[in-house]
Amino acid sequence: MNEPHDQETDPVFSKSLDASNLNASSIENNLKKAGRKRIQLRHHFHHKNSRKVGKFIPRPSMLDFGTIDREQNPMRGFIVLFWVSMGWYTVSTAWQTFVRTGSPFDMSLAIQMSERGIELAISDLLMIISCFMVVPLVKLVQHKILPMTAAPLMSWIWLGLWFSTAVLWALYNNWGWTQSGAFTIHCIAMLMKQASYLMSNMNLIWKTKELPQLQAEIDLLRAEQEGDSKQRQEQLELLLAEQIQFKTDLKGKVTGLEFPRNLTFLNFVDYMVIPTLVYEIEYPRTKAFRPIYFLEKVLGTFGIFLLLVNIVGHSIIPILEKSAEMHFITCIMRLLVPFMICFILLFQIIFDCVCNAFAELTYFADRQFYEDWWNSTSFEEYARKWNKPVHEFLLRHIYLESIRSYNLSPQSATLLTFFLSSVFHELVMALTGKRLRPWLFLLQMFQIPLIYAARIAWVRERKTLGNVAFWCEMLIGPPLLGAMPGSIICIFEGSCFVLL
């Protein structure tokens, strides 16, 4: 958000550098004062870190059945086996429920989740509409009504007021745990979308203002006759490369839509519906809409959701309700399999069904919402692969931004990124369970020493051992959180950890 070396705040270029007052002597003095370091640092940071940022290109989802059939994935039989097993599990639980209650399905949890549904839907709609305020905010900066120096502060004030209002609204309504959790998670996603829109467009505004200065510096270098010609040529190449990069960034990658023509409400609507948390002027698109594929994902969403409700109601909540009466280890053992099944189903419903459905609806061609996280050998690798939309947001707007704007070291930026992620996870748990318990936060922060341990050469070389350790930690973590006594964590928090 706080762009480095802004023209209005840079001590070297404290004077306005608009085309009206650009002249060779002032630029030459400024360049000599800076010792050309500004050119090199600006170019070095931009190009060094641009390689770390993911790019949107047409890509399929790895576990999508269309991709599996097209690529003739040799593991497709195991994927079919998993879903056949889930089908038989549903039949088995339905029969047990029928024997116990006379009805094949226990709908108590589903009924609880549907309570005050209209009120929740209206609140969610108003929350989405309020996000559109970021468009006029960017416009104010673009037209210099709001100075660039005040833009970061105003952006953070808006995001803080917006998010705190949404959280207080959720607390005021005192919804059930599922409604509160779903609303809070959607609020966090919309917060990230707004932050990316503001930060990305502020960056583009800065680059627009920087281009005349770049051209003036290039012209000056070309006109210079004195000094080391080799050094001058290297500096000229840096500037030319940066100029090309800036001009490329100010254009869309599909039709060439130029900034600021993207600053419209229609463009923002498109961005809000596309399943990504990182703003771009344009995204790669598919050529056609496939109604059968879209219907398949919609039906899959509802089907897997009902399966999730069935597993939570039949195999998790009854154990959590009796957790105080059974041994702690016994409780964990009985929760291991149900929690892991729910974890896999939750992954499937979000990243394969929901994300692909919205991608198909918006013709969004980059379907790589995840990578092969199941092969992870550390939590660092898992964090990169499990949730690509959130990872890309954290990489661009937290990790790299903290290094660029606040001069944090990579280690400090990593710690900050994990801390903010843990805080938001704990916030969801707090609003869901109506109490603040630090256990999820502590478990997530405990991943940091595990990440450093996984970087040890002896461990890093043993991929299978790392993958075994990763899965053991994934198996034990959620049941450990859910099995804690009621005096420490309520039973609903253990359930919502699975669903949300």
Side-chain angles (χ1 to χ4, degrees):
M1 190 76 72
N2 299 324
E3 295 299 343
H5 312 301
D6 190 276
Q7 296 170 9
E8 300 176 21
T9 59
D10 196 308
V12 176
F13 293 93
S14 57
K15 187 176 180 180
S16 174
L17 294 172
D18 294 332
S20 59
N21 55 21
L22 282 173
N23 57 78
S25 60
S26 64
I27 294 173
E28 183 176 9
N29 291 333
N30 284 328
L31 287 174
K32 288 180 179 178
K33 184 178 179 181
R36 309 256 190 228
K37 291 181 180 179
R38 176 176 183 268
I39 302 171
Q40 296 171 356
L41 289 175
R42 181 179 58 193
H43 174 87
H44 173 73
F45 177 86
H46 182 81
H47 290 277
K48 176 184 176 183
N49 291 290
S50 62
R51 294 194 298 268
K52 298 180 180 179
V53 176
K55 301 185 184 302
F56 291 97
I57 58 176
R59 289 176 290 193
S61 294
M62 294 180 64
L63 297 181
D64 184 78
F65 274 110
T67 305
I68 292 171
D69 290 337
R70 183 170 57 255
E71 297 179 356
Q72 291 296 298
N73 191 317
M75 298 297 292
R76 60 186 180 276
F78 280 100
I79 298 172
V80 172
L81 173 62
F82 172 79
W83 288 113
V84 170
S85 301
M86 289 297 97
W88 279 111
Y89 180 84
T90 303
V91 173
S92 175
T93 55
W95 171 252
Q96 294 177 44
T97 305
F98 176 77
V99 171
R100 188 177 69 252
T101 64
S103 173
F105 299 104
D106 184 359
M107 302 301 294
S108 57
L109 181 59
I111 293 172
Q112 178 196 23
M113 296 173 69
S114 63
E115 291 177 353
R116 303 172 67 182
I118 296 177
E119 179 182 322
L120 177 65
I122 294 174
S123 298
D124 204 62
L125 178 62
L126 292 175
M127 181 261 292
I128 293 173
I129 293 174
S130 65
C131 296
F132 283 75
M133 281 296 297
V134 296
V135 179
L137 182 57
V138 172
K139 283 282 192 180
L140 290 176
V141 179
Q142 179 209 350
H143 294 294
K144 301 180 181 180
I145 299 174
L146 182 66
M148 191 70 180
T149 50
L153 178 62
M154 294 301 298
S155 298
W156 287 118
I157 289 175
W158 162 252
L159 293 174
L161 288 175
W162 181 90
F163 188 65
S164 59
T165 301
V167 170
L168 291 174
W169 180 252
L171 289 172
Y172 171 79
N173 282 279
N174 196 29
W175 287 314
W177 63 276
T178 52
Q179 291 89 338
S180 296
F183 184 79
T184 305
I185 289 176
H186 198 193
C187 281
I188 293 173
M190 295 299 101
L191 176 71
M192 289 190 284
K193 273 187 172 282
Q194 290 181 86
S196 182
Y197 185 86
L198 288 169
M199 297 171 80
S200 298
N201 281 294
M202 297 299 179
N203 180 269
L204 295 176
I205 292 173
W206 173 76
K207 288 179 179 179
T208 302
K209 292 182 178 181
E210 194 77 0
L211 277 175
Q213 172 61 28
L214 273 172
Q215 186 59 52
E217 292 170 0
I218 291 170
D219 294 341
L220 178 63
L221 280 172
R222 285 172 171 168
E224 282 183 354
Q225 301 296 329
E226 300 178 357
D228 188 348
S229 60
K230 182 178 179 181
Q231 181 184 9
R232 187 167 63 249
Q233 182 62 31
E234 290 176 353
Q235 293 169 347
L236 182 61
E237 290 175 358
L238 286 175
L239 286 173
L240 289 172
E242 187 173 29
Q243 185 186 53
I244 293 172
Q245 185 62 53
F246 277 24
K247 289 181 177 180
T248 301
D249 293 343
L250 290 168
K251 288 185 178 181
K253 305 301 186 294
V254 181
T255 65
L257 178 68
E258 295 185 1
F259 179 85
R261 292 173 57 194
N262 62 303
L263 299 180
T264 64
F265 284 105
L266 186 61
N267 179 270
F268 188 75
V269 170
D270 180 67
Y271 166 60
M272 290 288 282
V273 182
I274 286 178
T276 181
L277 300 175
V278 172
Y279 180 77
E280 295 273 337
I281 296 177
E282 289 183 315
Y283 301 93
R285 305 287 180 157
T286 57
K287 295 181 179 180
F289 174 75
R290 297 170 291 176
I292 301 300
Y293 178 88
F294 177 75
L295 182 61
E296 172 192 323
K297 296 304 178 183
V298 172
L299 294 178
T301 299
F302 286 103
I304 298 174
F305 183 76
L306 291 177
L307 181 56
L308 269 171
V309 171
N310 185 36
I311 294 174
V312 172
H314 183 270
S315 302
I316 294 180
I317 288 183
I319 297 175
L320 292 174
E321 289 175 339
K322 299 177 182 179
S323 60
E325 305 171 6
M326 64 178 67
H327 195 278
F328 184 70
I329 301 299
T330 302
C331 184
I332 291 178
M333 292 300 180
R334 294 184 62 180
L335 288 172
L336 281 175
V337 175
F339 266 62
M340 182 49 61
I341 291 175
C342 286
F343 171 77
I344 295 173
L345 293 177
L346 179 64
F347 161 77
Q348 189 74 21
I349 197 173
I350 293 176
F351 297 107
D352 186 68
C353 292
V354 175
C355 285
N356 273 309
F358 276 98
E360 191 67 26
L361 190 65
T362 57
Y363 296 79
F364 184 56
D366 192 347
R367 309 291 176 91
Q368 194 184 66
F369 306 116
Y370 55 89
E371 294 183 60
D372 59 333
W373 58 266
W374 46 88
N375 293 324
S376 298
T377 57
S378 69
F379 277 105
E380 183 179 25
E381 183 180 0
Y382 169 73
R384 293 196 309 266
K385 293 182 174 182
W386 145 257
N387 188 339
K388 292 297 291 293
V390 170
H391 167 70
E392 188 64 26
F393 175 87
L394 294 175
L395 173 64
R396 291 194 189 192
H397 300 306
I398 303 299
Y399 178 79
L400 294 179
E401 185 70 22
S402 63
I403 294 175
R404 176 178 59 182
S405 299
Y406 305 106
N407 297 318
L408 294 184
S409 65
Q411 293 77 15
S412 299
T414 299
L415 182 61
L416 174 64
T417 303
F418 264 92
F419 176 78
L420 290 177
S421 176
S422 301
V423 166
F424 279 115
H425 278 83
E426 190 61 44
L427 177 63
V428 174
M429 297 294 285
L431 291 177
T432 301
K434 303 297 188 296
R435 63 183 67 189
L436 184 62
R437 303 295 185 186
W439 309 115
L440 177 60
F441 175 82
L442 294 176
L443 285 174
Q444 285 202 275
M445 293 303 293
F446 184 66
Q447 293 177 12
I448 295 178
L450 294 177
I451 287 173
Y452 282 103
R455 291 178 179 177
I456 299 173
W458 186 89
V459 178
R460 191 171 61 249
E461 292 170 358
R462 289 157 175 80
K463 300 293 185 181
T464 302
L465 177 62
N467 191 237
V468 170
F470 162 75
W471 275 114
C472 288
E473 293 157 3
M474 292 296 292
L475 275 167
I476 295 173
L480 178 64
L481 182 68
M484 289 181 180
S487 59
I488 299 178
I489 185 168
C490 68
I491 62 171
F492 290 132
E493 287 177 334
S495 306
C496 78
F497 179 84
V498 179
L499 284 177
L500 304 176

